[in-house]
Amino acid sequence: AQKITQTQPGMFVQEKEAVTLDCTYDTSDQSYGLFWYKQPSSGEMIFLIYQGSYDEQNATEGRYSLNFQKARKSANLVISASQLGDSAMYFCAMREGPVMKTSYDKVIFGPGTSLSVIP
Amino acid sequence: NAGVTQTPKFQVLKTGQSMTLQCAQDMNHNSMYWYRQDPGMGLRLIYYSASEGTTDKGEVPNGYNVSRLNKREFSLRLESAAPSQTSVYFCASSEDGFNYGYTFGSGTRLTVV
């Protein structure tokens, strides 16, 4: 069964430092996508970054990068040069396989990691 | 701005009352979803719609009904609200395929007293 594990319920990082948020996933599919979402205290869900299972290079989006280790089934989010505005919940998510008429694919979310950036 | 519009943002209901949460997207997405988010439970899928005219149960469908009115709109109805349905509700939509994530609405904070 699909599963996303985020083992760090809470993390602290000093402003301007880099931080890694861990995510491991479990799937038997060869085709899947991995996503990270940010949820600030205001509550909205903000898409950060995407990594496809066939992508050979790690995804990057500005200060966000995804450390993708396929054999270990891990997809850690790295935030460089942390800012106070990075304080939020971060969710790792996965979506499996190609869409087929007789099956349905949906996004599975991990439990989240709460990140606090310290001035 | 293109996206997912979800209403209302806040709602307080008395036990037994009914209400409908509205959701509309203007991105021409086939798939739409309703999730609830509870502390320590993450996001749990209530219902989804893979295309106009189809709906299916997710992980926690009891106490809810949905309607995919057209390609744009996907509503969630609580027929007889219970305190256990106090939660934050998110509507989302997506393109089809594993390489597409969700676009979320802004959420509805529902309290049932």
Side-chain angles (χ1 to χ4, degrees):
Chain A
Q2 303 170 317
K3 187 176 180 180
I4 301 286
T5 302
Q6 295 180 256
T7 58
Q8 306 152 313
M11 291 278 288
F12 292 88
V13 64
Q14 203 76 37
E15 193 177 6
K16 300 180 184 178
E17 296 290 314
V19 63
T20 298
L21 306 183
D22 294 340
C23 172
T24 58
Y25 59 92
D26 186 22
T27 179
S28 55
D29 273 14
Q30 296 301 310
S31 303
Y32 52 90
L34 297 158
F35 307 85
W36 278 90
Y37 288 86
K38 172 184 178 181
Q39 187 177 40
S41 58
S42 54
E44 70 268 32
M45 295 287 286
I46 302 167
F47 165 75
L48 293 178
I49 195 167
Y50 161 80
Q51 179 85 40
S53 59
Y54 297 114
D55 295 340
E56 295 186 351
Q57 290 193 328
N58 288 340
T60 60
E61 290 286 349
R63 293 186 298 110
Y64 304 108
S65 60
L66 199 153
N67 185 359
F68 180 47
Q69 299 187 43
K70 192 170 182 177
R72 298 181 59 187
K73 293 187 176 179
S74 75
N76 298 340
L77 178 71
V78 180
I79 305 175
S80 64
S82 295
Q83 302 172 355
L84 296 178
D86 294 334
S87 294
M89 282 289 290
Y90 289 82
F91 292 93
C92 179
M94 176 177 67
R95 189 172 189 179
E96 286 182 332
V99 174
M100 301 172 65
K101 288 184 178 179
T102 57
S103 68
Y104 175 80
D105 63 320
K106 62 184 182 295
V107 177
I108 301 296
F109 291 87
T113 295
S114 177
L115 177 66
S116 297
V117 180
I118 304 166
Chain B
N1 290 336
V4 179
T5 303
Q6 191 179 334
T7 57
K9 291 190 183 300
F10 301 94
Q11 184 72 48
V12 178
L13 289 178
K14 294 182 179 179
T15 297
Q17 286 185 320
S18 63
M19 78 162 295
T20 300
L21 280 64
Q22 307 286 352
C23 177
Q25 52 92 8
D26 58 5
M27 295 169 286
N28 204 37
H29 289 165
N30 284 325
S31 300
M32 297 186 73
Y33 316 82
W34 277 103
Y35 282 83
R36 61 178 288 172
Q37 184 181 27
D38 302 291
M41 304 291 288
L43 286 99
R44 293 182 292 170
L45 183 64
I46 305 171
Y47 270 94
Y48 61 90
S49 172
S51 63
E52 182 180 355
T54 68
T55 61
D56 285 285
K57 296 177 180 179
E59 185 182 355
V60 288
N62 292 343
Y64 306 95
N65 286 301
V66 289
S67 296
R68 184 76 182 266
L69 304 171
N70 47 56
K71 192 169 187 178
R72 290 187 64 249
E73 298 173 287
F74 187 40
S75 62
L76 177 72
R77 183 161 178 83
L78 287 70
E79 291 290 351
S80 179
S84 62
Q85 294 178 305
T86 294
S87 187
V88 179
Y89 292 84
F90 286 99
C91 177
S93 71
S94 77
E95 303 219 37
D96 298 333
F98 69 88
N99 51 331
Y100 294 101
Y102 288 169
T103 301
F104 283 91
S106 56
T108 297
R109 186 173 295 275
L110 174 66
T111 302
V112 183
V113 298

